[in-house]
Amino acid sequence: CTKRMGESMTNDADGLIVAFATVDGVAIPKAHFGEAQQYEIYQVTADDATRLESVNNPHAGEGHGGGSHHRHEHGGGKGAGIGRLLAQHQVQVMVSRAFGQNIVHMRERFLPVKVDIEEVVAAIDLLQRHWGQVRSRWLQGQARKHLVLHSAP
């Protein structure tokens, strides 16, 4: 990365602040976005990406009994908590390999992007290769739908 946190990238009209669901800062798990242990937050543009911070997810594990089955909770408890957490860090885009039912509410404030990529660095590259699509979907505002990006051409 060529720019440091706090420099002009945060004023870049074409840049977006992106939270990647991760277990260790590198790998993107198959679990829902809300189940990630942490979020790696980057400022991303069409041709650059700067890591801003890593944020622990205090809501990981909420709503699940610890087993491999999923029990979905309706309402805003966990989703609202994650929404507040992301908003505190000015996140605009959420990237994960899976999303739960809270995606319906989350996309009013954020652009959820589902990827089939296993690592944050590769997911950044995928976002950048589809940057026009990502930007235009973000600009649709509260009416936006989530975006699905595939690694294969």
Side-chain angles (χ1 to χ4, degrees):
C1 296
T2 57
K3 296 183 181 179
R4 295 178 190 268
M5 185 176 86
E7 287 186 9
S8 62
M9 286 199 69
T10 54
N11 296 325
D12 184 345
D14 294 326
L16 293 170
I17 297 179
V18 182
F20 295 90
T22 181
V23 290
D24 58 5
V26 176
I28 300 174
K30 288 184 180 179
H32 293 167
F33 184 88
E35 290 301 306
Q37 295 300 307
Q38 67 190 57
Y39 302 111
E40 288 298 308
I41 301 180
Y42 282 76
Q43 174 81 22
V44 180
T45 66
D47 56 8
D48 196 16
T50 302
R51 183 179 174 279
L52 301 177
E53 61 187 318
S54 179
V55 177
N56 288 327
N57 178 10
H59 306 284
E62 287 181 16
H64 290 270
S68 60
H69 67 287
H70 291 343
R71 285 182 301 142
H72 295 286
E73 288 187 0
H74 294 278
K78 179 178 181 176
I82 291 172
R84 285 190 298 272
L85 177 69
L86 297 177
Q88 288 171 0
H89 297 276
Q90 286 113 23
V91 168
Q92 297 162 294
V93 179
M94 311 159 53
V95 176
S96 184
R97 292 172 63 192
F99 289 92
Q101 64 197 21
N102 281 323
I103 192 173
V104 173
H105 304 291
M106 298 296 268
R107 68 184 183 211
E108 294 173 4
R109 295 170 61 189
F110 311 100
L111 169 60
V113 178
K114 182 179 177 186
V115 298
D116 60 355
I117 298 273
E118 297 179 10
E119 292 189 354
V120 171
V121 174
I124 291 170
D125 180 64
L126 184 63
L127 283 179
Q128 290 173 326
R129 283 189 280 134
H130 297 275
W131 193 248
Q133 195 176 4
V134 172
R135 284 284 303 163
S136 65
R137 187 68 59 96
W138 164 252
L139 293 172
Q140 290 175 2
Q142 290 186 350
R144 74 179 67 88
K145 301 292 185 193
H146 69 281
L147 186 60
V148 178
L149 298 179
H150 298 284
S151 55

